[in-house]
Amino acid sequence: MTSTADRLAHQQKREEGIGTNQKAVKFAKQDYETLRQQCLERGCLFEDSSFPADRKSLGYSELGPYSPKTRGVVWKRPTELCSNPKFIDDGATRTDICQGGLGDCWLLAAIASLTLDQRILARVVPHGQSFTEGYAGIFHFQFWQFGEWMDVVVDDRLPTRDGKLLFVHSAEGSEFWSALLEKAYAKVNSCYEALSGGNTIEGFEDFTGGIAEVYSLNKAPSNLFQIIKRALSLGSLLGCSIDITSAYETEAVTALKLVKGHAYSLTGAEEVNYRGRQVQLVRVRNPWGQVEWTGPWSDGSSEWNHVDRDEKSKLNHVSEDGEFWMSYSDFIRQFTRLEICNLTPDTLTSEDVGHWNHYQFEGMWRVGSTAGGCRNNPATFSSNPQFVVRLEDVDDDPLDGEDGCTFLVGLMQKEGRQKKRLDRNHETIGFAIYKVPDEYKGRSNVHLGPDVLLRQRAVAMSSTFINTREICDRFKLPPGEYAVIPSTFDPHKKGSFVLRVFSEKQAATSPLEEDIDAEIEEEEVSESDVDPHFKKLFKQIAGDDMEISAFELVRILNNVVSHRTDIKTDGFSLETGRLIVSLLDKDESAKLGLIEFHQLWNKIQKYLEIFKNHDTDISGTMSSHEMRGAAIEAGFHINSALLQSIVNRYADAQYAIDFDSFVGCLIKLEMLFKIFKALEREDAGKIELDMQQWLCLAIN
């Protein structure tokens, strides 16, 4: 109950704009300005109790408390490491980032790309921080985390050994923005060791809120160089790497001084005139700040002797800084992967470049209700969350010359790095895209069932199902309406996700989710309508007072269902009996009279028929995944959130619902709908209660 309340409160904050870069969520509820001011008033330096300067902040295994790698580590502030520390000295540049003893080159490549655009950098590294004016040993950074921006506070105690920073550092040793940025990112992910191993995409996205594409260079499209140039002109961040075939190749250096299994950033793409012909070049940076390509077009190679001096100057031809040029043809031969992070419209303030249109949704897979697995699981597939994308306008300048609507779909699962210390892996995820049938077009208040999804083929799918943080693919489809269905590969896997759609032209997007509603048939019955035989039976079981209490009702219902072999039940509970009486008791006697009991009996007969219709395997119970369809047949339209609450309350350990639970659920739904409608004012869709009213209704 409290977790549901927390989720609802979170949704309300998102609706108020909390979670944007301008109104970032306070990570660990720490407010930078408040804490800094408190330290200044007390004359002390900030010490972060939520990410303390001790071994548990370093790691859990290789950097764990008893690892030899953490021996001799001393946490020191920059003021203890040099006489004149600077936060940023003469602007943040790519040379400020040198890798230390942590396998997070993927992160450093992303940080290096950040420095190419000071506007993007300022979103992550807020201005006005220094070791002089207003210094209190506290700094803050902003990261995008699974759909929302977080403002993360850290103190400036950094892990050192023998007086030198253990992890990322600047080449000069007196500039500390990159080391403190790494610390803040480690805090978000639980510890430094959680940053070991990854791909540049993750850093790109967490620093921009953008969405990333991956290209395998052995299958590079013919226009990839143009795509690279276009991406760089749009401010996109690019990374590249060389895959390894075994653990022995990790960070192995090739004959031409390229490092395998290492994350590089791609920072430029130009064409130069070389001996009368145009040659395509790309600029690549090694975050180590050293070990550079020694092949054609490398620093000092003979090819530069045949390039015009002005052209060479324009290319910022430098040496021994970890950054180098190489021909595009060598690039696609030597490197394996290229990653491009496309930025959200709010990141790009210039009107001179084109912007993607950006749409974002959060969702959950919950066992028993919305964790349906992929199409291989027809019984549960349609239970997955669903989202509609309406594409109307075709691209202006199609690269392939054919009309269509280009869009990207990215599916990201949450909190994978935090799970690393618990030895838990990502789930295997992917998505399918279906054409919305004509009868459902223009609607978002529907949930497509198996009758729709299992009768057609997907028009597009994710390139694979894979156990990574995110899978993203580019599609081009004719104008129309499409349902995107994200899922885990196997059913019954719990997880939370963010689904994002980037489209070249405006697109209407929304969850495909039924509106909550009820069509409750009120049975008008008089005593003369009741069958005489039923009256006689009622008199026998009700006794002289001609009324049935909750205690008597439970005994009667259990006696009836105990003789049936086609349904399974643990028996009606006193709680269910009281609920039934509360719903049907018109005169507030806390008992049921003849008419009220007759109404109940008809309800139970109706519910029994529905229950048996949805007991598809004739097991005597109903799968919780069938509850949505059964509720609809009973007159209740429920969405995924309500379905999950029903499963939590009424399903057993195997996510089956027996008959007494089914009846109890429908009775409860009917009562809640009636209470809401009685208290709702002018069809506003909301009710207002004071504390006493809320508690009395909730307890009843």
PDB file of all heavy atoms in Angstrom, residues 397-404 476:
ATOM      1  N   ASP A 397      13.489  14.910 -46.227  1.00  0.00           N
ATOM      2  CA  ASP A 397      14.576  14.518 -47.131  1.00  0.00           C
ATOM      3  C   ASP A 397      14.975  13.073 -46.857  1.00  0.00           C
ATOM      4  O   ASP A 397      15.975  12.798 -46.182  1.00  0.00           O
ATOM      5  CB  ASP A 397      15.793  15.435 -46.932  1.00  0.00           C
ATOM      6  CG  ASP A 397      15.457  16.883 -47.222  1.00  0.00           C
ATOM      7  OD1 ASP A 397      14.964  17.152 -48.325  1.00  0.00           O
ATOM      8  OD2 ASP A 397      15.685  17.731 -46.330  1.00  0.00           O
ATOM      9  N   PRO A 398      14.189  12.122 -47.349  1.00  0.00           N
ATOM     10  CA  PRO A 398      14.501  10.715 -47.064  1.00  0.00           C
ATOM     11  C   PRO A 398      15.852  10.307 -47.641  1.00  0.00           C
ATOM     12  O   PRO A 398      16.156  10.607 -48.802  1.00  0.00           O
ATOM     13  CB  PRO A 398      13.350   9.957 -47.739  1.00  0.00           C
ATOM     14  CG  PRO A 398      12.794  10.905 -48.758  1.00  0.00           C
ATOM     15  CD  PRO A 398      13.006  12.276 -48.213  1.00  0.00           C
ATOM     16  N   LEU A 399      16.662   9.659 -46.816  1.00  0.00           N
ATOM     17  CA  LEU A 399      18.004   9.259 -47.247  1.00  0.00           C
ATOM     18  C   LEU A 399      17.951   8.218 -48.358  1.00  0.00           C
ATOM     19  O   LEU A 399      18.828   8.165 -49.218  1.00  0.00           O
ATOM     20  CB  LEU A 399      18.793   8.710 -46.046  1.00  0.00           C
ATOM     21  CG  LEU A 399      19.153   9.731 -44.955  1.00  0.00           C
ATOM     22  CD1 LEU A 399      19.786   9.031 -43.764  1.00  0.00           C
ATOM     23  CD2 LEU A 399      20.098  10.783 -45.512  1.00  0.00           C
ATOM     24  N   ASP A 400      16.920   7.366 -48.326  1.00  0.00           N
ATOM     25  CA  ASP A 400      16.829   6.312 -49.339  1.00  0.00           C
ATOM     26  C   ASP A 400      15.921   6.691 -50.504  1.00  0.00           C
ATOM     27  O   ASP A 400      15.668   5.876 -51.390  1.00  0.00           O
ATOM     28  CB  ASP A 400      16.344   5.010 -48.705  1.00  0.00           C
ATOM     29  CG  ASP A 400      15.004   5.167 -48.009  1.00  0.00           C
ATOM     30  OD1 ASP A 400      14.387   6.255 -48.118  1.00  0.00           O
ATOM     31  OD2 ASP A 400      14.566   4.216 -47.345  1.00  0.00           O
ATOM     32  N   GLY A 401      15.397   7.930 -50.490  1.00  0.00           N
ATOM     33  CA  GLY A 401      14.562   8.386 -51.593  1.00  0.00           C
ATOM     34  C   GLY A 401      13.137   7.899 -51.549  1.00  0.00           C
ATOM     35  O   GLY A 401      12.351   8.214 -52.444  1.00  0.00           O
ATOM     36  N   GLU A 402      12.761   7.137 -50.515  1.00  0.00           N
ATOM     37  CA  GLU A 402      11.403   6.607 -50.426  1.00  0.00           C
ATOM     38  C   GLU A 402      10.650   7.292 -49.297  1.00  0.00           C
ATOM     39  O   GLU A 402      11.199   7.523 -48.220  1.00  0.00           O
ATOM     40  CB  GLU A 402      11.437   5.090 -50.191  1.00  0.00           C
ATOM     41  CG  GLU A 402      12.049   4.313 -51.350  1.00  0.00           C
ATOM     42  CD  GLU A 402      11.996   2.809 -51.111  1.00  0.00           C
ATOM     43  OE1 GLU A 402      11.345   2.388 -50.131  1.00  0.00           O
ATOM     44  OE2 GLU A 402      12.611   2.074 -51.895  1.00  0.00           O
ATOM     45  N   ASP A 403       9.371   7.585 -49.553  1.00  0.00           N
ATOM     46  CA  ASP A 403       8.552   8.231 -48.523  1.00  0.00           C
ATOM     47  C   ASP A 403       8.331   7.297 -47.342  1.00  0.00           C
ATOM     48  O   ASP A 403       8.194   6.073 -47.506  1.00  0.00           O
ATOM     49  CB  ASP A 403       7.193   8.646 -49.103  1.00  0.00           C
ATOM     50  CG  ASP A 403       7.300   9.893 -49.968  1.00  0.00           C
ATOM     51  OD1 ASP A 403       8.326  10.596 -49.852  1.00  0.00           O
ATOM     52  OD2 ASP A 403       6.371  10.152 -50.756  1.00  0.00           O
ATOM     53  N   GLY A 404       8.269   7.886 -46.170  1.00  0.00           N
ATOM     54  CA  GLY A 404       8.031   7.119 -44.955  1.00  0.00           C
ATOM     55  C   GLY A 404       8.273   7.996 -43.752  1.00  0.00           C
ATOM     56  O   GLY A 404       8.681   9.154 -43.863  1.00  0.00           O
ATOM     57  N   LYS A 476      11.434   2.901 -40.239  1.00  0.00           N
ATOM     58  CA  LYS A 476      10.777   3.769 -41.216  1.00  0.00           C
ATOM     59  C   LYS A 476       9.534   3.037 -41.691  1.00  0.00           C
ATOM     60  O   LYS A 476       9.618   1.974 -42.316  1.00  0.00           O
ATOM     61  CB  LYS A 476      11.714   4.065 -42.385  1.00  0.00           C
ATOM     62  CG  LYS A 476      11.159   5.092 -43.354  1.00  0.00           C
ATOM     63  CD  LYS A 476      12.206   5.457 -44.397  1.00  0.00           C
ATOM     64  CE  LYS A 476      11.715   6.556 -45.306  1.00  0.00           C
ATOM     65  NZ  LYS A 476      12.733   6.928 -46.305  1.00  0.00           N
TER      66      LYS A 476
END
